[in-house]
Amino acid sequence: MPAGYRRHLYRDDAVVLRAQKLGESDRIVTLLTRRHGRLRAVARGVRRTTSRFGARLEPFGHIDLQLAGSPEGVGSSLHSVSQVEALSLFGKSFLADYPRYTAASAICETAERLTPVEREPSLRLFQLTLGALKALAAGEHAATLVLDAYLLRGMAFAGWAPAVTECAVCGEPGQHAAFAVPAGGAVCPDCRPPGAAHPSPATLGLMAALTAGDWPVADASAPSVRRECSGLVAAHLQWHMERSLRSLPLVDRRELKP
């Protein structure tokens, strides 16, 4: 630790992305904070039955907390949690609901993957993640629709948004019949590579609706269209991440209604 460095206290609000056991009574929590990006922090003693704030540090919660450490990256990368206040513990609304729980897990894993650099502020991703968990807790839309909307918008923030209303290669406007993940999305007949998929027009329409937040169109989509859309979105995301998401294969795609 640099000479003269002292860990100082600061506050932020955060979404809890992940929690790992540490020793016999501690946890390491991965947080997506509003002002300081993704952080990891040690929460001492939270696995004891006498802990005052153990339940507040479960995944999917929106919390206000006081941290000890350096938001500028001086010293240890691990912060310490000294105070926690619950703002909205969304997980309580769907811990017994498998489709919503697995969708929330995929959202949090994606948020962690989209923030590869610790302590780099990402306000838009924080707001998107918080909004997606809030939507899952409210239960107004099918969990798979909320997840796919989150993945599409998250890819847009990362610069990976699939082309839907124009050719990904030449930019020719229109709803094209083929979709090629390596090419970047929908492709026209002249640019279509071998092996391109041919999704239904309704599937591409659903992708556009989820990206734009057009929920009346998304909610009215057929189950087969939702499944095809989910497959394309997952393939596009994992192509650009260059690795698979552990939680995506666990998402329940059988739900038909919110």
Side-chain angles (χ1 to χ4, degrees):
M1 183 178 296
Y5 167 71
R6 294 181 59 189
R7 292 164 69 87
H8 63 273
L9 300 177
Y10 66 99
R11 298 197 74 87
D12 206 342
D13 66 306
V15 171
V16 182
L17 301 180
R18 185 158 56 101
Q20 303 165 264
K21 293 180 180 179
L22 178 66
E24 295 183 357
S25 60
D26 305 335
R27 275 195 186 129
I28 296 177
V29 288
T30 301
L31 307 163
L32 181 59
T33 68
R34 183 181 297 272
R35 291 180 292 276
H36 300 96
R38 181 174 59 82
L39 304 173
R40 292 187 307 141
V42 177
R44 305 287 181 188
V46 295
R47 289 165 52 208
R48 299 190 186 118
T49 56
T50 55
S51 172
R52 292 175 298 147
F53 53 76
R56 304 171 197 171
L57 290 171
E58 293 294 328
F60 319 135
H62 181 207
I63 57 175
D64 179 87
L65 74 168
Q66 182 172 272
L67 294 162
S70 169
E72 293 81 21
V74 180
S76 172
S77 64
L78 274 178
H79 293 58
S80 296
V81 177
S82 58
Q83 289 182 3
V84 182
E85 296 294 334
L87 298 176
S88 296
L89 300 181
F90 298 119
K92 289 184 176 181
S93 301
F94 50 73
L95 286 179
D97 186 317
Y98 184 80
R100 288 195 287 166
Y101 178 85
T102 53
S105 299
I107 285 168
C108 287
E109 184 181 357
T110 302
E112 188 171 354
R113 296 283 185 86
L114 290 177
T115 51
V117 180
E118 289 192 359
R119 291 178 278 211
E120 184 173 276
S122 183
L123 177 60
R124 292 176 67 195
L125 185 64
F126 169 82
Q127 293 173 327
L128 179 67
T129 305
L130 180 60
L133 294 175
K134 188 179 298 184
L136 286 177
E140 296 177 356
H141 309 290
T144 53
L145 292 179
V146 174
L147 171 60
D148 288 337
Y150 176 85
L151 297 180
L152 285 165
R153 296 179 196 179
M155 286 191 283
F157 293 162
W160 307 333
V164 177
T165 58
E166 70 281 329
C167 176
V169 178
C170 69
E172 178 70 23
Q175 191 176 77
H176 301 292
F179 190 99
V181 169
V187 285
C188 69
D190 292 336
C191 299
R192 182 182 61 212
H198 290 80
S200 70
T203 297
L204 296 178
L206 176 56
M207 293 177 71
L210 291 174
T211 302
D214 189 345
W215 287 105
V217 170
D219 290 336
S221 59
S224 60
V225 171
R226 296 183 187 185
R227 286 192 294 271
E228 188 172 44
C229 174
S230 294
L232 292 178
V233 171
H236 195 87
L237 174 71
Q238 293 179 128
W239 170 272
H240 284 282
M241 284 188 169
E242 299 182 343
R243 58 187 298 189
S244 62
L245 293 175
R246 296 187 302 272
S247 51
L248 268 185
L250 304 177
V251 174
D252 190 344
R253 303 290 182 184
R254 295 171 298 172
E255 87 180 306
L256 304 182
K257 299 294 183 182

